[in-house]
Amino acid sequence: LQAERAEVSTLERKRNVLCCLITRILKVEKQLHVDNLVFRVIETCQKGELGPGLQFLSFCCHSVDVLSCVLHL
C-alpha cells in the first residue's frame, strides 16, 4: 500500500511539473500548435530546463504524458 501511495505521489508531481511547463511555454508563445507544444515540453525536460526550484526533478517525459496534460488543461 505504501508503494502504491508513493507511485501515485510521483505521478501527481510529474503531472504538476508538466502542467507548469506547458503553462510557462504558452505564456511566451501564445499561438502554438499542439504538436509543437508537446515537442517543446519534451525538449525542455530532456535539456533539464525545468525552471527555478524544479531542477532537482529529473524524469523522462513521454509524448503521451505531455499530451494528456495538454488535454487536461
Side-chain angles (χ1 to χ4, degrees), residues 25-62:
I25 290 169
L26 286 176
K27 282 183 178 181
V28 174
E29 299 192 30
K30 307 280 189 228
Q31 296 181 8
L32 195 60
H33 191 272
V34 173
D35 293 340
N36 291 333
L37 177 59
V38 170
F39 175 74
R40 290 281 307 273
V41 171
I42 292 172
E43 182 180 51
T44 301
C45 288
Q46 289 174 345
K47 289 182 178 179
E49 300 170 347
L50 299 175
L54 297 175
Q55 283 106 0
F56 68 93
L57 293 174
S58 63
F59 59 82
C60 179
C61 57
H62 302 282

Side-chain angles (χ1 to χ4, degrees), residues 8-25:
V8 168
S9 176
T10 300
L11 289 174
E12 286 177 358
R13 187 173 23 182
K14 181 178 181 178
R15 188 181 83 190
N16 289 339
V17 170
L18 289 176
C19 287
C20 289
L21 284 174
I22 291 165
T23 304
R24 189 175 75 187
I25 290 169

